[in-house]
Amino acid sequence: MTESFGDKVINFNRQLNFSGSLPDGFKVINPYMDNPETMQVMQQFYHKFYSDTEQRKFIVGINPSRHGAGVTGVPFTDTKRLESVCGIKMESAHTHEISSVFMYDMIAEYGGAATFYKQFYINSPFPLAIVRKTKEGNWLNANYYDDAALFEMVKEFMILTLKNNIGIGLDTSEVYVLGKKNALFIQKLNKEAHLFEQIKVLEHPRYIQQYKSKEKQIYIDKYILTLNNEL
């Protein structure tokens, strides 16, 4: 029996492990190891929306936040949207993540979750949550590119991760990268590893929700036009 796209993603997530070094003050959170329910709801999601062998286009984020995929195991999906849109309830956690709000508003206008996920697959070059310690001793979300030494330490893992994602069944003729700064680093990796033919850059959902909320509809329209290759 042929393995479905969703089964390949589940296997990829099951084997996720970063064992490399990190600069002082940074650590990686693996949601699949920290919460058994994360593994369960992640599997439900990919069985529900990816139980076929169709090729998909790749949307690339940065790295999961502690309140989105860092809890649910599903990129740009907090527990609210996981339940209200995807129909999958998570009992052990309740999260609200602003990037998830934009993504699911856009997905609704695209045609809904089933239509969207049949065509697109979202993941990150560094698919685990990264946090950094503040002077006060608190842990906050961090991006893989926030620190030059951090990027160098995770770069090879990121290239391998992108290659493994491509192997699941992705169209490499173009890739959609979320976040302009993220795109600069993806372009560096692409120059080195020759992963994608064309890179299309979209503003990151968090940036839109935080700084451009009054123009949100313009960005939703831009996403849909770009994803449909009309821009």
Side-chain angles (χ1 to χ4, degrees):
M1 187 176 167
T2 307
E3 199 176 26
S4 73
F5 192 108
D7 286 330
K8 290 178 183 177
V9 178
I10 291 165
N11 290 336
F12 168 81
N13 287 335
R14 276 185 183 144
Q15 293 165 29
L16 266 180
N17 180 47
F18 178 77
S19 56
S21 301
L22 293 171
D24 289 345
F26 287 93
K27 71 177 180 181
V28 166
I29 297 172
N30 187 333
Y32 307 111
M33 290 184 178
D34 293 350
N35 183 352
E37 196 186 8
T38 299
M39 188 67 81
Q40 292 168 20
V41 298
M42 179 274 292
Q43 289 180 77
Q44 288 177 52
F45 176 86
Y46 287 106
H47 281 146
K48 182 170 184 174
F49 294 106
Y50 292 85
S51 61
D52 56 61
T53 55
E54 298 296 312
Q55 189 180 57
R56 284 165 170 84
K57 294 180 178 179
F58 195 13
I59 298 173
V60 177
I62 302 170
N63 45 263
S65 79
R66 292 170 302 160
H67 304 301
V71 173
T72 63
V74 180
F76 290 99
T77 304
D78 59 17
T79 63
K80 286 184 181 178
R81 257 73 26 196
L82 186 69
E83 182 174 358
S84 64
V85 182
C86 303
I88 300 167
K89 185 172 174 60
M90 195 164 184
E91 301 286 353
S92 61
H94 303 281
T95 60
H96 174 88
E97 210 265 336
I98 66 169
S99 293
S100 185
V101 176
F102 175 85
M103 286 301 281
Y104 278 89
D105 285 348
M106 184 275 294
I107 286 169
E109 289 204 30
Y110 192 89
T115 299
F116 183 82
Y117 288 126
K118 195 161 187 64
Q119 297 175 51
F120 297 99
Y121 167 73
I122 309 173
N123 214 318
S124 301
F126 195 91
L128 301 169
I130 303 173
V131 290
R132 75 184 302 166
K133 199 170 190 177
T134 66
K135 290 176 183 174
E136 295 73 37
N138 301 316
W139 291 94
L140 299 177
N141 283 330
N143 299 320
Y144 71 80
Y145 54 63
D146 284 348
D147 179 276
L150 173 64
F151 173 67
E152 287 302 322
M153 288 179 175
V154 299
K155 189 173 82 168
E156 291 306 317
F157 179 79
M158 287 167 60
I159 289 173
L160 180 62
T161 294
L162 290 168
K163 286 180 175 177
N164 288 341
N165 273 299
I166 288 166
I168 289 167
L170 297 176
D171 177 356
T172 57
S173 62
E174 56 200 1
V175 65
Y176 305 94
V177 178
L178 307 186
K180 291 182 178 178
K181 189 167 183 182
N182 186 29
L184 294 175
F185 287 87
I186 299 299
Q187 283 160 354
K188 282 184 187 177
L189 299 182
N190 197 46
K191 192 174 280 190
E192 187 173 319
H194 310 292
L195 304 165
F196 311 105
E197 291 172 35
Q198 186 180 8
I199 293 174
K200 293 190 174 182
V201 184
L202 288 160
E203 287 79 5
H204 196 277
R206 175 171 284 277
Y207 166 79
I208 297 166
Q209 285 289 120
Q210 262 187 300
Y211 303 110
K212 299 288 183 180
S213 58
K214 289 179 181 175
E215 300 160 51
K216 183 174 177 176
Q217 190 59 50
I218 293 171
Y219 288 99
I220 287 176
D221 293 344
K222 182 180 177 182
Y223 262 65
I224 292 171
L225 288 169
T226 303
L227 294 174
N228 284 329
N229 284 326
E230 293 170 27
L231 263 187

